[in-house]
């Protein structure tokens, strides 16, 4: 189990999705980026965000994204109650998904925020 408290000072973008991060940092030249987010403005710009990965057992991952690509900083198994709630909302699809409000609250507690 990873201690998330060591990441508490990172500027987490709680509403960032995997798709947003890829568009912002890796494909911004090929996509007319629309919406509230902007493309990177300078080399070295970084985003930190959480996702739920359901390819195996459901886990939450803290990702650092830059123009060099993603780096996994931490992963935690999703507790059974949060996994059931997540699957009830998202279905049993395999993939990488945004966190839910309940998962965000759990992560904030784990980070000591």
């Amino acid at each position: 189990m990873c201690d998330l408290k060591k990441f508490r000072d990172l500027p987490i973008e709680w509403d960032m999705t995997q798709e947003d991060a890829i568009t912002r940092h890796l494909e911004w030249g090929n996509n007319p980026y629309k919406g509230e987010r902007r493309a990177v403005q300078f080399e070295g710009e970084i985003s930190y965000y959480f996702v739920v990965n359901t390819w195996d057992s459901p886990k939450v991952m803290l990702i650092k994204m830059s123009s060099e690509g993603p780096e996994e900083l931490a992963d935690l198994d999703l507790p059974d109650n949060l996994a059931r709630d997540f699957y009830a909302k998202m279905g049993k699809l395999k993939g990488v998904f945004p966190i839910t409000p309940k998962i965000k609250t759990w992560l904030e507690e784990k980070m000591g925020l």
Side-chain angles (χ1 to χ4, degrees), residues 1-22:
M1 186 69 130
C2 176
D3 181 12
L4 288 182
K5 288 183 180 174
K6 65 183 175 183
F7 300 112
R8 68 179 290 142
D9 293 329
L10 290 180
I12 304 293
E13 296 185 56
W14 292 102
D15 61 342
M16 174 77 73
T17 67
Q18 185 76 0
E19 294 84 0
D20 286 339
I22 289 169

PDB file of all heavy atoms in Angstrom, residues 1-22:
ATOM      1  N   MET A   1       0.842  -1.177   0.000  1.00  0.00           N
ATOM      2  CA  MET A   1       0.000   0.000   0.000  1.00  0.00           C
ATOM      3  C   MET A   1       0.887   1.241   0.000  1.00  0.00           C
ATOM      4  O   MET A   1       1.811   1.341   0.782  1.00  0.00           O
ATOM      5  CB  MET A   1      -0.909  -0.042   1.225  1.00  0.00           C
ATOM      6  CG  MET A   1      -1.927   1.055   1.247  1.00  0.00           C
ATOM      7  SD  MET A   1      -3.150   0.836  -0.022  1.00  0.00           S
ATOM      8  CE  MET A   1      -4.615   1.030   0.903  1.00  0.00           C
ATOM      9  N   CYS A   2       0.591   2.164  -0.854  1.00  0.00           N
ATOM     10  CA  CYS A   2       1.378   3.385  -1.005  1.00  0.00           C
ATOM     11  C   CYS A   2       0.903   4.455  -0.021  1.00  0.00           C
ATOM     12  O   CYS A   2      -0.289   4.623   0.199  1.00  0.00           O
ATOM     13  CB  CYS A   2       1.224   3.880  -2.435  1.00  0.00           C
ATOM     14  SG  CYS A   2       2.032   5.436  -2.748  1.00  0.00           S
ATOM     15  N   ASP A   3       1.844   5.178   0.558  1.00  0.00           N
ATOM     16  CA  ASP A   3       1.512   6.300   1.442  1.00  0.00           C
ATOM     17  C   ASP A   3       1.347   7.558   0.581  1.00  0.00           C
ATOM     18  O   ASP A   3       2.332   8.127   0.097  1.00  0.00           O
ATOM     19  CB  ASP A   3       2.611   6.494   2.482  1.00  0.00           C
ATOM     20  CG  ASP A   3       2.308   7.642   3.436  1.00  0.00           C
ATOM     21  OD1 ASP A   3       1.158   8.128   3.444  1.00  0.00           O
ATOM     22  OD2 ASP A   3       3.225   8.040   4.170  1.00  0.00           O
ATOM     23  N   LEU A   4       0.120   7.983   0.387  1.00  0.00           N
ATOM     24  CA  LEU A   4      -0.152   9.146  -0.464  1.00  0.00           C
ATOM     25  C   LEU A   4       0.201  10.471   0.185  1.00  0.00           C
ATOM     26  O   LEU A   4       0.241  11.490  -0.492  1.00  0.00           O
ATOM     27  CB  LEU A   4      -1.624   9.161  -0.882  1.00  0.00           C
ATOM     28  CG  LEU A   4      -2.051   8.118  -1.894  1.00  0.00           C
ATOM     29  CD1 LEU A   4      -3.523   8.288  -2.237  1.00  0.00           C
ATOM     30  CD2 LEU A   4      -1.211   8.181  -3.159  1.00  0.00           C
ATOM     31  N   LYS A   5       0.458  10.471   1.484  1.00  0.00           N
ATOM     32  CA  LYS A   5       0.758  11.737   2.162  1.00  0.00           C
ATOM     33  C   LYS A   5       1.996  12.409   1.589  1.00  0.00           C
ATOM     34  O   LYS A   5       2.103  13.627   1.609  1.00  0.00           O
ATOM     35  CB  LYS A   5       0.894  11.517   3.659  1.00  0.00           C
ATOM     36  CG  LYS A   5      -0.441  11.233   4.298  1.00  0.00           C
ATOM     37  CD  LYS A   5      -0.342  11.078   5.785  1.00  0.00           C
ATOM     38  CE  LYS A   5      -1.742  10.787   6.318  1.00  0.00           C
ATOM     39  NZ  LYS A   5      -1.753  10.482   7.720  1.00  0.00           N
ATOM     40  N   LYS A   6       2.916  11.649   1.034  1.00  0.00           N
ATOM     41  CA  LYS A   6       4.112  12.260   0.456  1.00  0.00           C
ATOM     42  C   LYS A   6       3.806  13.040  -0.828  1.00  0.00           C
ATOM     43  O   LYS A   6       4.633  13.807  -1.293  1.00  0.00           O
ATOM     44  CB  LYS A   6       5.193  11.208   0.208  1.00  0.00           C
ATOM     45  CG  LYS A   6       4.848  10.162  -0.823  1.00  0.00           C
ATOM     46  CD  LYS A   6       5.955   9.145  -0.922  1.00  0.00           C
ATOM     47  CE  LYS A   6       5.599   8.016  -1.860  1.00  0.00           C
ATOM     48  NZ  LYS A   6       6.633   7.008  -1.893  1.00  0.00           N
ATOM     49  N   PHE A   7       2.595  12.873  -1.365  1.00  0.00           N
ATOM     50  CA  PHE A   7       2.195  13.584  -2.577  1.00  0.00           C
ATOM     51  C   PHE A   7       1.224  14.734  -2.282  1.00  0.00           C
ATOM     52  O   PHE A   7       0.713  15.363  -3.197  1.00  0.00           O
ATOM     53  CB  PHE A   7       1.537  12.626  -3.570  1.00  0.00           C
ATOM     54  CG  PHE A   7       2.421  11.498  -4.002  1.00  0.00           C
ATOM     55  CD1 PHE A   7       2.136  10.194  -3.627  1.00  0.00           C
ATOM     56  CD2 PHE A   7       3.552  11.732  -4.769  1.00  0.00           C
ATOM     57  CE1 PHE A   7       2.951   9.146  -4.018  1.00  0.00           C
ATOM     58  CE2 PHE A   7       4.374  10.689  -5.169  1.00  0.00           C
ATOM     59  CZ  PHE A   7       4.070   9.391  -4.792  1.00  0.00           C
ATOM     60  N   ARG A   8       1.006  15.028  -1.023  1.00  0.00           N
ATOM     61  CA  ARG A   8      -0.031  15.991  -0.637  1.00  0.00           C
ATOM     62  C   ARG A   8       0.210  17.405  -1.159  1.00  0.00           C
ATOM     63  O   ARG A   8      -0.725  18.185  -1.314  1.00  0.00           O
ATOM     64  CB  ARG A   8      -0.220  15.998   0.873  1.00  0.00           C
ATOM     65  CG  ARG A   8       0.958  16.554   1.641  1.00  0.00           C
ATOM     66  CD  ARG A   8       0.738  16.576   3.140  1.00  0.00           C
ATOM     67  NE  ARG A   8      -0.256  17.583   3.453  1.00  0.00           N
ATOM     68  CZ  ARG A   8      -1.176  17.434   4.386  1.00  0.00           C
ATOM     69  NH1 ARG A   8      -1.211  16.366   5.113  1.00  0.00           N
ATOM     70  NH2 ARG A   8      -2.047  18.391   4.606  1.00  0.00           N
ATOM     71  N   ASP A   9       1.453  17.778  -1.443  1.00  0.00           N
ATOM     72  CA  ASP A   9       1.746  19.132  -1.915  1.00  0.00           C
ATOM     73  C   ASP A   9       1.742  19.261  -3.442  1.00  0.00           C
ATOM     74  O   ASP A   9       1.972  20.354  -3.961  1.00  0.00           O
ATOM     75  CB  ASP A   9       3.088  19.606  -1.352  1.00  0.00           C
ATOM     76  CG  ASP A   9       3.047  19.791   0.159  1.00  0.00           C
ATOM     77  OD1 ASP A   9       1.972  20.138   0.693  1.00  0.00           O
ATOM     78  OD2 ASP A   9       4.075  19.564   0.809  1.00  0.00           O
ATOM     79  N   LEU A  10       1.492  18.164  -4.140  1.00  0.00           N
ATOM     80  CA  LEU A  10       1.421  18.243  -5.601  1.00  0.00           C
ATOM     81  C   LEU A  10       0.152  18.987  -6.019  1.00  0.00           C
ATOM     82  O   LEU A  10      -0.891  18.848  -5.379  1.00  0.00           O
ATOM     83  CB  LEU A  10       1.398  16.845  -6.218  1.00  0.00           C
ATOM     84  CG  LEU A  10       2.670  16.025  -6.143  1.00  0.00           C
ATOM     85  CD1 LEU A  10       2.450  14.661  -6.800  1.00  0.00           C
ATOM     86  CD2 LEU A  10       3.834  16.745  -6.800  1.00  0.00           C
ATOM     87  N   PRO A  11       0.224  19.728  -7.107  1.00  0.00           N
ATOM     88  CA  PRO A  11      -0.980  20.423  -7.597  1.00  0.00           C
ATOM     89  C   PRO A  11      -1.863  19.446  -8.395  1.00  0.00           C
ATOM     90  O   PRO A  11      -1.867  19.434  -9.627  1.00  0.00           O
ATOM     91  CB  PRO A  11      -0.407  21.531  -8.482  1.00  0.00           C
ATOM     92  CG  PRO A  11       0.893  20.953  -8.988  1.00  0.00           C
ATOM     93  CD  PRO A  11       1.415  20.104  -7.861  1.00  0.00           C
ATOM     94  N   ILE A  12      -2.613  18.629  -7.672  1.00  0.00           N
ATOM     95  CA  ILE A  12      -3.457  17.617  -8.311  1.00  0.00           C
ATOM     96  C   ILE A  12      -4.585  18.293  -9.083  1.00  0.00           C
ATOM     97  O   ILE A  12      -5.253  19.191  -8.569  1.00  0.00           O
ATOM     98  CB  ILE A  12      -4.077  16.658  -7.255  1.00  0.00           C
ATOM     99  CG1 ILE A  12      -2.990  16.002  -6.392  1.00  0.00           C
ATOM    100  CG2 ILE A  12      -4.970  15.621  -7.927  1.00  0.00           C
ATOM    101  CD1 ILE A  12      -2.091  15.053  -7.097  1.00  0.00           C
ATOM    102  N   GLU A  13      -4.781  17.864 -10.306  1.00  0.00           N
ATOM    103  CA  GLU A  13      -5.908  18.336 -11.124  1.00  0.00           C
ATOM    104  C   GLU A  13      -6.995  17.278 -10.993  1.00  0.00           C
ATOM    105  O   GLU A  13      -7.022  16.305 -11.737  1.00  0.00           O
ATOM    106  CB  GLU A  13      -5.472  18.554 -12.562  1.00  0.00           C
ATOM    107  CG  GLU A  13      -4.427  19.661 -12.683  1.00  0.00           C
ATOM    108  CD  GLU A  13      -4.067  19.975 -14.107  1.00  0.00           C
ATOM    109  OE1 GLU A  13      -4.986  20.294 -14.894  1.00  0.00           O
ATOM    110  OE2 GLU A  13      -2.874  19.896 -14.434  1.00  0.00           O
ATOM    111  N   TRP A  14      -7.878  17.467 -10.031  1.00  0.00           N
ATOM    112  CA  TRP A  14      -8.847  16.451  -9.641  1.00  0.00           C
ATOM    113  C   TRP A  14      -9.830  16.098 -10.741  1.00  0.00           C
ATOM    114  O   TRP A  14     -10.357  14.986 -10.758  1.00  0.00           O
ATOM    115  CB  TRP A  14      -9.591  16.884  -8.382  1.00  0.00           C
ATOM    116  CG  TRP A  14      -8.706  16.913  -7.185  1.00  0.00           C
ATOM    117  CD1 TRP A  14      -8.137  18.010  -6.595  1.00  0.00           C
ATOM    118  CD2 TRP A  14      -8.246  15.789  -6.424  1.00  0.00           C
ATOM    119  NE1 TRP A  14      -7.368  17.631  -5.522  1.00  0.00           N
ATOM    120  CE2 TRP A  14      -7.415  16.273  -5.394  1.00  0.00           C
ATOM    121  CE3 TRP A  14      -8.459  14.417  -6.510  1.00  0.00           C
ATOM    122  CZ2 TRP A  14      -6.804  15.448  -4.460  1.00  0.00           C
ATOM    123  CZ3 TRP A  14      -7.851  13.582  -5.579  1.00  0.00           C
ATOM    124  CH2 TRP A  14      -7.033  14.091  -4.571  1.00  0.00           C
ATOM    125  N   ASP A  15     -10.088  16.990 -11.664  1.00  0.00           N
ATOM    126  CA  ASP A  15     -11.045  16.679 -12.729  1.00  0.00           C
ATOM    127  C   ASP A  15     -10.367  16.304 -14.048  1.00  0.00           C
ATOM    128  O   ASP A  15     -11.027  16.132 -15.065  1.00  0.00           O
ATOM    129  CB  ASP A  15     -12.021  17.834 -12.928  1.00  0.00           C
ATOM    130  CG  ASP A  15     -11.329  19.124 -13.337  1.00  0.00           C
ATOM    131  OD1 ASP A  15     -10.100  19.238 -13.147  1.00  0.00           O
ATOM    132  OD2 ASP A  15     -12.016  20.031 -13.836  1.00  0.00           O
ATOM    133  N   MET A  16      -9.062  16.143 -14.030  1.00  0.00           N
ATOM    134  CA  MET A  16      -8.316  15.744 -15.233  1.00  0.00           C
ATOM    135  C   MET A  16      -8.634  14.285 -15.568  1.00  0.00           C
ATOM    136  O   MET A  16      -8.689  13.444 -14.679  1.00  0.00           O
ATOM    137  CB  MET A  16      -6.807  15.905 -15.003  1.00  0.00           C
ATOM    138  CG  MET A  16      -5.924  15.395 -16.130  1.00  0.00           C
ATOM    139  SD  MET A  16      -5.825  16.484 -17.557  1.00  0.00           S
ATOM    140  CE  MET A  16      -4.818  17.794 -16.940  1.00  0.00           C
ATOM    141  N   THR A  17      -8.853  14.015 -16.842  1.00  0.00           N
ATOM    142  CA  THR A  17      -9.038  12.646 -17.313  1.00  0.00           C
ATOM    143  C   THR A  17      -7.804  12.235 -18.107  1.00  0.00           C
ATOM    144  O   THR A  17      -6.998  13.088 -18.517  1.00  0.00           O
ATOM    145  CB  THR A  17     -10.276  12.517 -18.219  1.00  0.00           C
ATOM    146  OG1 THR A  17     -10.041  13.259 -19.431  1.00  0.00           O
ATOM    147  CG2 THR A  17     -11.535  13.015 -17.519  1.00  0.00           C
ATOM    148  N   GLN A  18      -7.678  10.951 -18.349  1.00  0.00           N
ATOM    149  CA  GLN A  18      -6.561  10.449 -19.155  1.00  0.00           C
ATOM    150  C   GLN A  18      -6.595  11.080 -20.542  1.00  0.00           C
ATOM    151  O   GLN A  18      -5.569  11.477 -21.081  1.00  0.00           O
ATOM    152  CB  GLN A  18      -6.635   8.917 -19.238  1.00  0.00           C
ATOM    153  CG  GLN A  18      -5.476   8.285 -19.945  1.00  0.00           C
ATOM    154  CD  GLN A  18      -4.204   8.247 -19.109  1.00  0.00           C
ATOM    155  OE1 GLN A  18      -4.159   8.701 -17.966  1.00  0.00           O
ATOM    156  NE2 GLN A  18      -3.173   7.708 -19.675  1.00  0.00           N
ATOM    157  N   GLU A  19      -7.793  11.193 -21.106  1.00  0.00           N
ATOM    158  CA  GLU A  19      -7.931  11.771 -22.443  1.00  0.00           C
ATOM    159  C   GLU A  19      -7.492  13.232 -22.460  1.00  0.00           C
ATOM    160  O   GLU A  19      -6.810  13.671 -23.384  1.00  0.00           O
ATOM    161  CB  GLU A  19      -9.381  11.657 -22.928  1.00  0.00           C
ATOM    162  CG  GLU A  19      -9.846  10.246 -23.151  1.00  0.00           C
ATOM    163  CD  GLU A  19     -10.352   9.555 -21.871  1.00  0.00           C
ATOM    164  OE1 GLU A  19     -10.352  10.180 -20.787  1.00  0.00           O
ATOM    165  OE2 GLU A  19     -10.724   8.383 -21.967  1.00  0.00           O
ATOM    166  N   ASP A  20      -7.889  13.982 -21.432  1.00  0.00           N
ATOM    167  CA  ASP A  20      -7.478  15.388 -21.335  1.00  0.00           C
ATOM    168  C   ASP A  20      -5.962  15.502 -21.242  1.00  0.00           C
ATOM    169  O   ASP A  20      -5.351  16.367 -21.878  1.00  0.00           O
ATOM    170  CB  ASP A  20      -8.090  16.060 -20.106  1.00  0.00           C
ATOM    171  CG  ASP A  20      -9.569  16.370 -20.250  1.00  0.00           C
ATOM    172  OD1 ASP A  20     -10.057  16.443 -21.392  1.00  0.00           O
ATOM    173  OD2 ASP A  20     -10.225  16.542 -19.215  1.00  0.00           O
ATOM    174  N   ALA A  21      -5.356  14.666 -20.427  1.00  0.00           N
ATOM    175  CA  ALA A  21      -3.903  14.733 -20.230  1.00  0.00           C
ATOM    176  C   ALA A  21      -3.157  14.405 -21.523  1.00  0.00           C
ATOM    177  O   ALA A  21      -2.182  15.083 -21.867  1.00  0.00           O
ATOM    178  CB  ALA A  21      -3.479  13.779 -19.119  1.00  0.00           C
ATOM    179  N   ILE A  22      -3.617  13.400 -22.237  1.00  0.00           N
ATOM    180  CA  ILE A  22      -2.970  13.043 -23.501  1.00  0.00           C
ATOM    181  C   ILE A  22      -3.111  14.170 -24.509  1.00  0.00           C
ATOM    182  O   ILE A  22      -2.143  14.557 -25.171  1.00  0.00           O
ATOM    183  CB  ILE A  22      -3.555  11.723 -24.051  1.00  0.00           C
ATOM    184  CG1 ILE A  22      -3.094  10.566 -23.167  1.00  0.00           C
ATOM    185  CG2 ILE A  22      -3.147  11.508 -25.505  1.00  0.00           C
ATOM    186  CD1 ILE A  22      -3.798   9.260 -23.430  1.00  0.00           C
TER     187      ILE A  22
END
